[in-house]
Amino acid sequence: MQMYRYVFSNKEKKMTKNKKNEEETITEPREEEELLPEQDVEAATEDTAENDGQFSVEELVAQNQKLRDDYLRAFAEVENTKKRCQQEIDKNNKYAIAAFAKSLLSVADNLQRALDAAGQRESGEACEGLIKGVELTQNELTKVFDKFDIHKMDIEGKVFDPNFHQVIQEVEDKTKPAGTIIAEVQTGYMIHDRILREAMVVVTKA
């Protein structure tokens, strides 16, 4: 009876040992599974990245250059726009009083007419006082004009120019070329480099 138990125990031990060997065999990693090199993993990752829309170095450099060119072009356009706006602002400030100045020209004309009329009369104390007062007024007006760069056109000896002059009469004069200005009926004025009023002139005809 004891012998049976001993044999049984050995058999049981043998079965247990075989079972452990089977478990170790099952859990032991296969050779193919152990060989999973890091290089293969990196290569697989790179392939996946390329498939996900990644670019080469050359493509990235080209895109960077394009973005830089677009930025420089946009920056230049902004700077040009700023310059144009500043020029418009300066121009508006420069000629803002043009309408007001033009309305004062008739005042200057009347003062000159008063001086011309007084000079044609016989001299006298009253007339001299009038002339003096008109001259002072005219001088003050001239100072205001000079302050804002309003000045008379210089047309003496000039040839007619439709951009600056308005012909009201033509006369024959064989001593001068056709179109020469020989008289000024109304003075022309400039404000800076822009015409404020055309000069009314008399010219020679062909």
Side-chain angles (χ1 to χ4, degrees):
M1 192 69 178
Q2 291 179 354
M3 188 69 178
Y4 172 79
R5 288 180 181 176
Y6 177 75
V7 173
F8 181 79
S9 298
N10 288 340
K11 185 178 182 180
E12 191 176 36
K13 288 180 180 180
K14 188 176 181 180
M15 291 176 64
T16 303
K17 185 176 181 181
N18 291 337
K19 187 175 182 181
K20 284 184 179 182
N21 292 335
E22 289 178 0
E23 290 178 355
E24 290 177 359
T25 302
I26 293 173
T27 56
E28 184 178 359
R30 298 180 182 178
E31 185 177 358
E32 294 179 357
E33 293 179 354
E34 285 181 351
L35 295 177
L36 192 59
E38 294 181 0
Q39 293 181 354
D40 294 343
V41 174
E42 292 178 356
T45 304
E46 290 178 358
D47 294 339
T48 305
E50 290 181 357
N51 294 332
D52 290 341
Q54 297 296 325
F55 301 97
S56 65
V57 175
E58 292 78 6
E59 291 173 335
L60 292 175
V61 170
Q63 289 184 2
N64 182 65
Q65 183 63 37
K66 182 178 182 302
L67 292 174
R68 184 175 181 275
D69 293 341
D70 292 343
Y71 167 76
L72 293 176
R73 190 179 299 108
F75 180 79
E77 291 178 356
V78 170
E79 288 298 312
N80 291 334
T81 302
K82 288 171 61 177
K83 290 179 180 179
R84 286 195 297 269
C85 291
Q86 187 61 46
Q87 290 174 355
E88 288 296 324
I89 292 172
D90 294 341
K91 185 187 296 184
N92 291 336
N93 292 336
K94 192 175 183 180
Y95 301 105
I97 64 167
F100 172 73
K102 190 173 184 178
S103 65
L104 288 179
L105 298 183
S106 59
V107 178
D109 293 340
N110 290 332
L111 288 174
Q112 187 60 50
R113 291 189 187 101
L115 289 173
D116 294 340
Q120 293 174 1
R121 296 180 181 178
E122 295 180 359
S123 60
E125 185 176 350
C127 189
E128 289 179 0
L130 174 63
I131 293 174
K132 188 65 175 179
V134 173
E135 286 178 344
L136 291 174
T137 305
Q138 188 181 49
N139 290 337
E140 289 297 321
L141 183 61
T142 302
K143 290 179 181 178
V144 174
F145 283 175
D146 291 340
K147 181 179 179 180
F148 294 99
D149 198 12
I150 301 169
H151 51 275
K152 295 180 180 180
M153 291 183 184
D154 182 15
I155 65 171
E156 186 178 355
K158 298 292 182 64
V159 178
F160 167 72
D161 186 342
N163 296 317
F164 298 94
H165 312 134
Q166 181 179 351
V167 176
I168 62 170
Q169 187 179 359
E170 290 181 328
V171 297
E172 292 185 2
D173 190 340
K174 301 297 184 181
T175 63
K176 293 181 176 61
T180 302
I181 298 173
I182 58 175
E184 183 181 46
V185 178
Q186 180 174 274
T187 305
Y189 282 87
M190 302 284 294
I191 178 170
H192 300 286
D193 56 350
R194 182 180 293 181
I195 297 175
L196 191 58
R197 185 179 71 182
E198 296 176 335
M200 294 183 179
V201 297
V202 178
V203 299
T204 59
K205 64 181 179 180

